[in-house]
Amino acid sequence: MQAYSRIYGSGFVTGERKVSNADMAKVCDTSDEWIRERSGIQERFFVNEGTATSDLAVGAAKKALDDAGVKAEEIDYIVVATMTPDYYFPGVGSLVQAKLGLTSIPALDIRQQCSGFVYGLQVADALIRAGQAKKLLFIGAEIHTGFMPFSKQGWDVVMGRSDAEIPQSEKEWNSKFRHLVVLFGDAAGAVVMGPTDDPKRGLLGFALHSEGKNVEALYVPSAGFAYRPYFSDEHFKEGRGVPVMDGRTVFKMAVTKMPEAVHEVCAKAGTTVDDLHLLIPHQANLRISEGVQKALKLPDEKVYNNIQRFGNTTAATIPIAYDECKKAGRIKQGDLVCFVGLGAGFHWGAALMRE
Ligand code: ACO
């Protein structure tokens, strides 16, 4: 059995269109000031219609393969974390496999939403340590725009194809979801992982948790097989395909559970928060990251945030942030890096890695 797994390379892509807070204010009752103040977000990227989660996943995968110096045909396992697959089923893993021109290697989807990346890292690490994968492609990819309840005209306005005023009734409808739609963006981040013989490098441990009792604080009520049929016109008219989010409950959970998980994973690895070179929190809201940072008493230079430029991209936030930090020289070999996230489920957890 291999002692450790490590990340060989990383990369990311975003949706094609950069969308500002002012663009969002054209389709719902919001403002740049409100969004910046409550979430830190200044802009996000949305895909053009026709781009699917698997397309973003493949784009990020190609960049990560390039960065790792690994050919697609060398990949022997694909893991994709997404809550926004192209289809209800199958998952995105097999679509990525086909779009990369690969055949028959195992492809696995996991759906742990905003903690998809930390959960997926544990799966990838276990597969590699057990000798089941030697060059594993792990992707976090999301397209949230499918959730957004805008009409065709609304989309033309948001995407800059039209200057028309949308009807007041439509703006009112969209505004029912304004606390949600302003937060999200479309993107994918990928890593190529494999074994290392160096016992001082790689993933050192995990602290993962779930708690299903508050599921209704953050979930998509429909489509789902709790209903027959699993999706209907009524569901659509009621907006039940749009996530329900009790933002305050999520916020409170995040600023409590994320710091706990960081302490836990450090203790398991026989180290402390003070030894961390960098914390990469899931980018849900800048205020959440600041709350986590405060609870952990970490200085600014030890916590990375980029939600200002991408919004919340769910399973993609951590690999995007990791890639930016690597390319900017903020993570160097030997650095102790902690990833932490919390999201729908609720699922949360932290992963500790020596670069
Ligand atoms: N623009 C303008 N006003 C708004 C907007 C908006 N986009 N959204 C809400 N408001 C208004 C509300 O209507 C409310 O008005 P009222 O006081 O007149 O009733 C006021 O602003 C405050 O609303 P709250 O929802 O209480 O605002 P809050 O300060 O809690 O911020 C937010 C909302 C940003 C959603 C925050 O709660 C948050 O970030 N929560 C966590 C979000 C998160 O992390 N989600 C998880 C990711 S999703 C996943 O895991 C899949």
Side-chain angles (χ1 to χ4, degrees), residues 29-30 34 38 83 113-114 178-179 182-184 218 245 247-248 250-251 284-285 288 312 314 343-344:
D29 190 8
T30 189
W34 192 97
R38 302 292 175 121
M83 64 169 195
Q113 294 68 246
C114 291
R178 63 182 177 169
H179 62 294
V182 298
L183 298 181
F184 293 96
L218 185 56
M245 183 176 76
R248 291 195 173 187
V250 179
F251 198 103
N285 182 326
I288 290 177
N312 179 350
T314 302

Side-chain angles (χ1 to χ4, degrees), residues 28-31 34-35 38-39 83 112-115 142 144 147 175 177-184 218-219 243 245-252 254 282-288 312 314-315 342-347:
C28 66
D29 190 8
T30 189
S31 65
W34 192 97
I35 302 170
R38 302 292 175 121
S39 73
M83 64 169 195
Q112 260 60 33
Q113 294 68 246
C114 291
S115 42
E142 308 284 358
H144 296 99
F147 283 140
S175 297
F177 310 99
R178 63 182 177 169
H179 62 294
L180 188 96
V181 296
V182 298
L183 298 181
F184 293 96
L218 185 56
Y219 80 127
M245 183 176 76
D246 172 355
R248 291 195 173 187
T249 300
V250 179
F251 198 103
K252 278 187 217 147
H282 163 58
Q283 303 288 294
N285 182 326
L286 190 59
R287 306 292 160 246
I288 290 177
N312 179 350
T314 302
L342 175 138
F346 281 86
H347 300 288

Side-chain angles (χ1 to χ4, degrees), residues 154-223:
W155 276 116
D156 284 344
V157 170
V158 167
M159 300 297 271
R161 295 187 293 260
S162 162
D163 291 331
E165 281 273 319
I166 66 161
Q168 189 53 29
S169 58
E170 190 182 329
K171 211 166 182 184
E172 275 167 26
W173 169 253
N174 294 343
S175 297
K176 283 176 67 163
F177 310 99
R178 63 182 177 169
H179 62 294
L180 188 96
V181 296
V182 298
L183 298 181
F184 293 96
D186 299 336
V191 291
V192 176
M193 297 174 64
T196 174
D197 293 332
D198 183 348
K200 295 199 187 82
R201 289 190 79 181
L203 284 151
L204 305 178
F206 300 88
L208 302 185
H209 299 278
S210 298
E211 195 173 87
K213 70 181 183 194
N214 288 325
V215 70
E216 286 174 11
L218 185 56
Y219 80 127
V220 182
S222 180

Side-chain angles (χ1 to χ4, degrees), residues 4 129 199-206 269 336 352-354:
Y4 289 102
R129 290 169 67 138
K200 295 199 187 82
R201 289 190 79 181
L203 284 151
L204 305 178
F206 300 88
L336 194 59
L352 192 65
M353 187 181 80
R354 177 83 63 191

Side-chain angles (χ1 to χ4, degrees), residues 17-37:
R17 174 85 189 172
K18 191 189 278 187
V19 173
S20 68
N21 292 342
D23 293 327
M24 297 304 289
K26 292 175 190 161
V27 289
C28 66
D29 190 8
T30 189
S31 65
D32 178 47
E33 192 192 1
W34 192 97
I35 302 170
R36 278 180 200 241
E37 200 176 289

Side-chain angles (χ1 to χ4, degrees), residues 55-210:
D55 297 317
L56 290 185
V58 167
K62 285 183 176 167
K63 289 199 171 180
L65 286 163
D66 216 31
D67 190 45
V70 169
K71 292 193 183 76
E73 48 281 18
E74 293 177 66
I75 292 297
D76 56 8
Y77 215 114
I78 296 172
V79 180
V80 181
T82 186
M83 64 169 195
T84 52
D86 298 16
Y87 308 114
Y88 196 95
F89 75 81
V92 169
S94 62
L95 305 178
V96 168
Q97 183 208 61
K99 287 183 181 182
L100 284 174
L102 305 177
T103 52
S104 116
I105 57 163
L108 177 71
D109 272 52
I110 64 158
R111 34 181 308 172
Q112 260 60 33
Q113 294 68 246
C114 291
S115 42
F117 199 79
V118 282
Y119 264 76
L121 273 181
Q122 187 187 49
V123 171
D125 177 63
L127 287 166
I128 292 164
R129 290 169 67 138
Q132 299 299 307
K134 292 214 158 34
K135 293 214 167 72
L136 184 147
L137 177 60
F138 174 35
I139 310 164
E142 308 284 358
I143 290 186
H144 296 99
T145 36
F147 283 140
M148 297 187 189
F150 312 147
S151 68
K152 186 178 174 314
Q153 190 189 358
W155 276 116
D156 284 344
V157 170
V158 167
M159 300 297 271
R161 295 187 293 260
S162 162
D163 291 331
E165 281 273 319
I166 66 161
Q168 189 53 29
S169 58
E170 190 182 329
K171 211 166 182 184
E172 275 167 26
W173 169 253
N174 294 343
S175 297
K176 283 176 67 163
F177 310 99
R178 63 182 177 169
H179 62 294
L180 188 96
V181 296
V182 298
L183 298 181
F184 293 96
D186 299 336
V191 291
V192 176
M193 297 174 64
T196 174
D197 293 332
D198 183 348
K200 295 199 187 82
R201 289 190 79 181
L203 284 151
L204 305 178
F206 300 88
L208 302 185
H209 299 278
S210 298

